[in-house]
C-alpha cells in the first residue's frame, strides 16, 4: 500500500459506553488502527463521544444539585472532559498495541480540540440532539425552569434535554494538529465533533451544542489535505433499500450517485445520512480524495479496496 494520510472517524461501537466497556473497546480498536499504521498509513483519529458526554453531563449536574457553590456544567465543559477521558484510554491502548508490534517510538497524543460554529446557525433555533438521561414530565419541567434547558419527549420513553447540532466552521487548534501530524505523531483530536465554541471578539465562548462528529471529521480531513476519510460504523457497507427484499449493498458510489440516494431518502437521518453526507463532502473537495464507510474490523481491508463502500468524485 502506498503511504496515505488517513483520517479515521470512530463511532460509538469502537469506544463502548461504560468505563469498563471503554477500557476493553479501546484495546480492540487499537488493534485495527495499528493495522493501518503497520501498513504504512499516516493516521489521524477522531471519535464519537455521545455515551461518555451524556454520562459526564448527568454526573456533574447531579453533583451540583445539593451544593449551592457548584453550578450546572456547561455542555462545552462536558465535551472537553469527554475528550480527555476517551483520549487517555485510546492513546494508551494504541501506544501499548504498537509497542507489542515492535514500534518502540510510538508518539500518540490527544489534542483537546475546540471547533468554531456560527452563532447564527439555524440549528440553534431548533435544538434536536438528545443528551443525558431520561426524565419524568415533572423533572423535565423543573429542568426547563431551573436551568433553561430545552426538553423534548423521546418516543414515549420520557423526556430528555436537547441541544443544537450546528455545522463546524473552523477547527481552532488546526495549526497545532498540522504541526504534530507533520512531525509524524499519531493525533487523536476533534473528539465528539469538537468542543463547540462561538467567536465573540477575541473570546471563544462555549456553546450549548453537539457537533456531528462525521462533519467535523470531514472538515479535519480537508484541512489536513488527507488522502482518505474512513468513517467506521456498525455495518461493513452502505446499503440502499435497507431492510427490504431488494436490499443492495454498495461497493462504491460516486458523489452524484450518493446525492441521488440522499434525495430518495435512502439513508436514515441521525444514522447513516450524516456519514454519507460527510463522505460526499470530502470526496468532492479535491482531486484524488476518497471516503470509505465500513466496519472497524474491516478498516485495513477497506483502505486496500477489499471491502467497504468507497465514495469518490
Amino acid at each position: 500500500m502506498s503511504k496515505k494520510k488517513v483520517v479515521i472517524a470512530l463511532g460509538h461501537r469502537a469506544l463502548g459506553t461504560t468505563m469498563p466497556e471503554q477500557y476493553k473497546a479501546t484495546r480492540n480498536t487499537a488493534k485495527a488502527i495499528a493495522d493501518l499504521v503497520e501498513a504504512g498509513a499516516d493516521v489521524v483519529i477522531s471519535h464519537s463521544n455521545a455515551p461518555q458526554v451524556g454520562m459526564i453531563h448527568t454526573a456533574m449536574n447531579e453533583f451540583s444539585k445539593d451544593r449551592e457553590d457548584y453550578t450546572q456544567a456547561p455542555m462545552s465543559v462536558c465535551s472537553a472532559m469527554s475528550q480527555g477521558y476517551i483520549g487517555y484510554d485510546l492513546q494508551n491502548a494504541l501506544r501499548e498495541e504498537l509497542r507489542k508490534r515492535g514500534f518502540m517510538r510510538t508518539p500518540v497524543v490527544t489534542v483537546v480540540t475546540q471547533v468554531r460554529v456560527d452563532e447564527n446557525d439555524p440549528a440553534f433555533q431548533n435544538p434536536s440532539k438528545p443528551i443525558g438521561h431520561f426524565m419524568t414530565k415533572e423533572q423535565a419541567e423543573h429542568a426547563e425552569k431551573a436551568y433553561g434547558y430545552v426538553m423534548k419527549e423521546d418516543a414515549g420513553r420520557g423526556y430528555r434535554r436537547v441541544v443544537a447540532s450546528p455545522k463546524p466552521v473552523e477547527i481552532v487548534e488546526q495549526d497545532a494538529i498540522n504541526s504534530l501530524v507533520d512531525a509524524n505523531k499519531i493525533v487523536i483530536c476533534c473528539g465528539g465533533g469538537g468542543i463547540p465554541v462561538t467567536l465573540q471578539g477575541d473570546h471563544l465562548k462555549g456553546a450549548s451544542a453537539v457537533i456531528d462528529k462525521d462533519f467535523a471529521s470531514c472538515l479535519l480531513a480537508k484541512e489536513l489535505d488527507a488522502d482518505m476519510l474512513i468513517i467506521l460504523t456498525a455495518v461493513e457497507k452502505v446499503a440502499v433499500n435497507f431492510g427490504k427484499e431488494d436490499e443492495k449493498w454498495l461497493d462504491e458510489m460516486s458523489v452524484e450517485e450518493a446525492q441521488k440516494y440522499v434525495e430518495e431518502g435512502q439513508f436514515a437521518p441521525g444514522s447513516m445520512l450524516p456519514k454519507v453526507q460527510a463522505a460526499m463532502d470530502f470526496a468532492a473537495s479535491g482531486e484524488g480524495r476518497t471516503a470509505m464507510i465500513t466496519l472497524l474490523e474491516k478498516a485495513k481491508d477497506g483502505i486496500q479496496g477489499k471491502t467497504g463502500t468507497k465514495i469518490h468524485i
Side-chain angles (χ1 to χ4, degrees):
M1 186 187 74
S2 59
K3 198 169 182 66
K4 292 182 179 179
K5 188 182 292 182
V6 179
V7 170
I8 303 173
L10 301 172
H12 303 162
R13 192 166 162 270
L15 300 171
T17 300
T18 65
M19 285 190 181
E21 278 183 11
Q22 179 175 302
Y23 182 84
K24 183 178 179 181
T26 51
R27 271 138 187 82
N28 290 332
T29 296
K31 292 175 183 176
I33 296 170
D35 284 344
L36 296 181
V37 175
E38 207 167 37
D42 288 330
V43 173
V44 182
I45 304 158
S46 65
H47 59 81
S48 167
N49 73 341
Q52 290 83 358
V53 80
M55 176 183 66
I56 292 166
H57 178 265
T58 300
M60 293 294 289
N61 291 350
E62 285 295 320
F63 180 78
S64 71
K65 278 183 180 177
D66 301 321
R67 296 168 176 82
E68 292 183 5
D69 52 338
Y70 283 86
T71 59
Q72 293 282 306
M75 274 304 300
S76 54
V77 172
C78 295
S79 179
M81 288 180 174
S82 76
Q83 286 190 15
Y85 159 49
I86 293 168
Y88 163 66
D89 271 350
L90 190 54
Q91 70 186 28
N92 283 345
L94 187 53
R95 177 182 181 276
E96 185 177 327
E97 181 63 30
L98 287 169
R99 284 184 170 253
K100 284 179 183 176
R101 300 187 188 203
F103 290 82
M104 286 300 100
R105 192 170 176 278
T106 52
V108 188
V109 62
T110 298
V111 177
V112 175
T113 315
Q114 301 173 95
V115 174
R116 185 171 66 83
V117 298
D118 183 351
E119 62 183 326
N120 297 314
D121 190 305
F124 285 109
Q125 305 305 314
N126 183 33
S128 59
K129 193 86 170 178
I131 60 159
H133 65 291
F134 287 98
M135 300 183 193
T136 64
K137 187 175 182 181
E138 292 72 24
Q139 289 171 326
E141 288 173 349
H142 172 74
E144 286 180 329
K145 291 175 184 175
Y147 313 126
Y149 290 174
V150 178
M151 307 295 298
K152 288 186 181 179
E153 189 175 9
D154 190 328
R157 295 180 293 173
Y159 292 78
R160 293 178 77 186
R161 182 187 179 189
V162 291
V163 296
S165 186
K167 293 290 176 65
V169 174
E170 175 193 9
I171 298 168
V172 176
E173 286 76 23
Q174 187 70 61
D175 283 351
I177 294 166
N178 290 353
S179 296
L180 288 165
V181 173
D182 289 345
N184 296 314
K185 315 303 181 191
I186 298 171
V187 182
I188 302 164
C189 58
C190 294
I195 303 163
V197 295
T198 58
L199 184 60
Q200 303 190 354
D202 291 327
H203 176 61
L204 291 170
K205 182 180 179 182
S208 288
V210 173
I211 301 167
D212 188 288
K213 71 105 171 64
D214 296 314
F215 293 136
S217 300
C218 172
L219 178 59
L220 173 67
K222 288 194 286 188
E223 292 299 316
L224 281 168
D225 193 22
D227 299 293
M228 180 175 275
L229 169 64
I230 302 180
I231 299 175
L232 300 174
T233 185
V235 291
E236 188 170 341
K237 297 181 182 181
V238 177
V240 291
N241 302 319
F242 184 71
K244 300 177 182 177
E245 286 186 7
D246 56 346
E247 178 180 86
K248 180 183 177 184
W249 297 95
L250 304 173
D251 294 325
E252 63 176 319
M253 54 181 168
S254 67
V255 171
E256 188 178 346
E257 288 168 333
Q259 182 59 39
K260 176 172 164 284
Y261 291 138
V262 168
E263 290 168 2
E264 290 175 0
Q266 289 281 0
F267 310 121
S271 179
M272 187 56 75
L273 180 59
K275 293 172 176 55
V276 171
Q277 289 175 322
M280 290 164 56
D281 187 354
F282 178 70
S285 67
E287 198 69 38
R289 291 179 175 179
T290 58
M292 173 72 61
I293 299 175
T294 193
L295 270 173
L296 171 68
E297 295 83 356
K298 300 290 185 177
K300 183 178 178 182
D301 287 343
I303 202 173
Q304 293 176 339
K306 296 176 182 178
T307 191
T309 301
K310 180 181 176 183
I311 297 91
H312 54 83
I313 292 177

